[in-house]
Every structure is written in structure tokens, then in C-alpha cells.
């Protein structure tokens, strides 16, 4: 099975084109004192299904200029995570990708650069869900980009630290249950995602994603 990154908006429209419950949000990406990119997220529901879509674009100077694009798509059915995909491109080259599909008994999983066993995900919390809900009382979160649960620690009122493989750390800051910031802490750089109001007329970014990505398909 393959999933081309441009297929994310197509999949979003295919699954939830008729849904009325879109919940978009936006974040600016800061490095030091400068905005270097943006994140757009959306949550849509239809009957017993909930779908999350997250896309980002940034330009970061680390020795040389790097244009980074990421996509995450996560689907729940009856409260259970059944499908997710993630990809990261740097200067148009694919650097990381993952895919999990648990809609069939045998399942299917891929973590760049190859196939891996498809393990059932019993954790109802994922990084996509954390954009919309505060993970009160949770000690692990499923991370779509690595296809595994990672430890989550509450460090204060409304603040959490998520530790990924390799010692990578993301810190989440909530106020009144609403996500305000994500601090991306890496050995060579730090980024901060800060919530911003969506511009007038951009309450949903699905059509813009479709227009920007061009034609693509979700294929088996």
C-alpha cells in the first residue's frame, strides 16, 4: 500500500466531504523571534467516525535553508484508532513516513523504510487528538510518526512533556483545556507552535489543501 503526501486532502474530502462538524485551527511556527511557518489542523466527525488532518510548512535555516512539509492523517471509529498516516519532506525529498491500517483483521503497517507488524492500538490518545483535547490523566500517547506509544508526563497545570524515541521532546501547553503551544525541543534547534486565529474566510482549509496539492490518490 502506498500513500502519497498529496493524497491527504483528497482523503479528507473523500471521508468527510459531507460532514458539517469541521473544527479547524491554526498555529504559527516560531524559531527564536521569527515566524518561519504555519500549521493547519482540522477535526471532522461523521456518525461513529472522527478524522484528524494536520499539515505544516516551514523554512528553517540550519547550516543551510530547509523547507519542511509534514502531513498527518488519523481516523477513529467508535473511539478506536483504526488508521493513520504521516510523512515529512525536507526540500522535496521524503525523509520519514508511516502508515497504519487496522480496518482488516490482518492489518497493515509501514514505517520508513519498510514494512513492520501491524500492532493493534488500544490507546485512544494520539498526537492528533492532543491538538483538540487536553490529555488529563494520560501517561502514554500513540505517536503516528513512529507507530508506537510514547511516555507523557504532566509537568504542571496544563503542561505536558512527550518523549519520543531518540530523546526527542515535545512540550504541550494548555489553557482552560485548549492547546496554546507546542514546544519542539531537538538537539540542534527548538521550535514553538503558537495558536493563532484563522484569517477571515479561512475557517476551513480543506479546499485550499486540495488546490495546493493538486490531483492525487489514496491507493492500494
Amino acid at each position: 500500500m502506498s500513500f502519497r503526501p498529496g493524497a491527504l486532502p483528497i482523503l479528507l474530502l473523500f471521508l468527510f466531504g459531507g460532514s458539517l462538524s469541521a473544527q479547524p485551527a491554526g498555529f504559527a511556527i516560531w524559531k527564536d523571534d521569527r515566524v518561519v511557518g504555519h500549521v493547519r489542523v482540522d477535526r471532522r466527525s461523521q456518525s461513529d467516525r472522527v478524522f484528524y488532518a494536520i499539515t505544516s510548512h516551514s523554512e528553517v535555516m540550519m547550516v543551510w535553508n530547509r523547507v519542511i512539509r509534514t502531513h498527518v492523517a488519523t481516523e477513529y471509529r467508535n473511539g478506536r484508532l483504526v488508521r493513520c498516516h504521516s510523512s515529512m519532506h525536507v526540500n522535496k525529498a521524503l525523509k520519514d513516513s508511516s502508515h497504519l491500517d487496522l480496518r482488516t483483521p490482518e492489518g497493515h503497517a509501514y514505517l520508513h523504510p519498510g514494512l513492520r507488524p501491524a500492532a493493534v492500538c488500544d490507546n485512544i490518545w494520539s498526537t492528533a487528538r492532543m491538538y483538540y483535547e487536553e490529555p488529563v490523566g494520560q501517561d502514554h500517547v500513540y505517536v503516528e510518526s513512529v507507530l508506537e506509544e510514547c511516555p507523557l508526563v504532566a509537568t504542571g497545570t496544563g503542561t505536558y512533556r512527550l518523549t519520543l524515541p531518540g530523546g526527542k521532546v515535545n512540550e504541550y501547553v494548555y489553557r482552560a483545556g485548549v492547546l496554546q503551544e507546542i514546544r519542539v525541543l531537538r538537539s540542534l534547534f527548538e521550535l514553538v507552535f503558537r495558536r493563532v486565529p484563522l484569517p477571515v474566510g479561512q475557517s476551513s482549509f480543506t479546499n485550499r489543501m486540495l488546490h495546493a496539492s493538486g490531483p492525487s490518490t489514496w491507493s492500494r
Side-chain angles (χ1 to χ4, degrees):
M1 177 182 290
S2 64
F3 186 108
R4 287 186 285 172
L8 179 63
I10 301 294
L11 177 62
L12 180 59
L13 290 175
F14 174 74
L15 290 177
F16 294 95
S19 172
L20 299 178
S21 55
Q23 297 175 291
F27 294 79
I29 301 176
W30 289 77
K31 185 177 186 295
D32 301 323
D33 58 352
R34 188 167 66 93
V35 174
V36 296
H38 63 267
V39 180
R40 295 288 185 267
V41 301
D42 205 350
R43 178 172 66 178
R44 293 180 175 236
S45 59
Q46 186 178 68
S47 184
D48 62 349
R49 303 162 73 186
V50 179
F51 186 83
Y52 297 85
I54 301 136
T55 183
S56 75
H57 180 279
S58 60
E59 295 187 26
V60 181
M61 180 61 70
M62 293 181 292
V63 183
W64 63 85
N65 192 55
R66 305 185 188 193
V67 178
I68 303 171
R69 293 182 296 112
T70 68
H71 297 281
V72 176
T74 304
E75 181 186 355
Y76 287 81
R77 295 189 184 184
N78 294 312
R80 175 175 167 262
L81 193 154
V82 297
R83 182 164 47 160
C84 65
H85 170 83
S86 74
S87 68
M88 180 177 71
H89 283 74
V90 178
N91 294 338
K92 299 184 178 181
L94 179 66
K95 293 300 182 183
D96 285 297
S97 66
S98 67
H99 180 77
L100 177 70
D101 191 339
L102 299 174
R103 295 173 299 164
T104 60
E106 64 275 14
H108 179 92
Y110 174 90
L111 185 64
H112 185 75
L115 296 174
R116 62 176 294 172
V120 174
C121 177
D122 294 322
N123 194 330
I124 63 174
W125 281 89
S126 64
T127 56
R129 184 177 174 182
M130 288 178 67
Y131 274 93
Y132 287 91
E133 300 175 61
E134 182 177 347
V136 177
Q138 304 303 312
D139 56 12
H140 284 79
V141 168
Y142 190 80
V143 179
E144 294 91 328
S145 60
V146 297
L147 299 185
E148 64 181 69
E149 293 182 86
C150 293
L152 181 74
V153 176
T155 57
T157 302
T159 60
Y160 302 83
R161 174 178 286 251
L162 177 65
T163 302
L164 287 71
K168 299 176 181 177
V169 171
N170 290 351
E171 294 182 342
Y172 293 76
V173 179
Y174 296 80
R175 287 201 297 270
V178 177
L179 180 63
Q180 301 297 321
E181 286 188 0
I182 303 176
R183 300 164 185 164
V184 179
L185 310 179
R186 301 294 184 264
S187 58
L188 298 178
F189 65 93
E190 296 184 8
L191 301 175
V192 179
F193 300 177
R194 291 189 178 130
R195 178 177 289 271
V196 294
L198 289 179
V200 175
Q202 296 188 10
S203 58
S204 175
F205 64 90
T206 303
N207 291 333
R208 298 198 312 283
M209 289 171 63
L210 177 61
H211 177 75
S213 299
S216 185
T217 58
W218 168 281
S219 60
R220 287 185 178 274

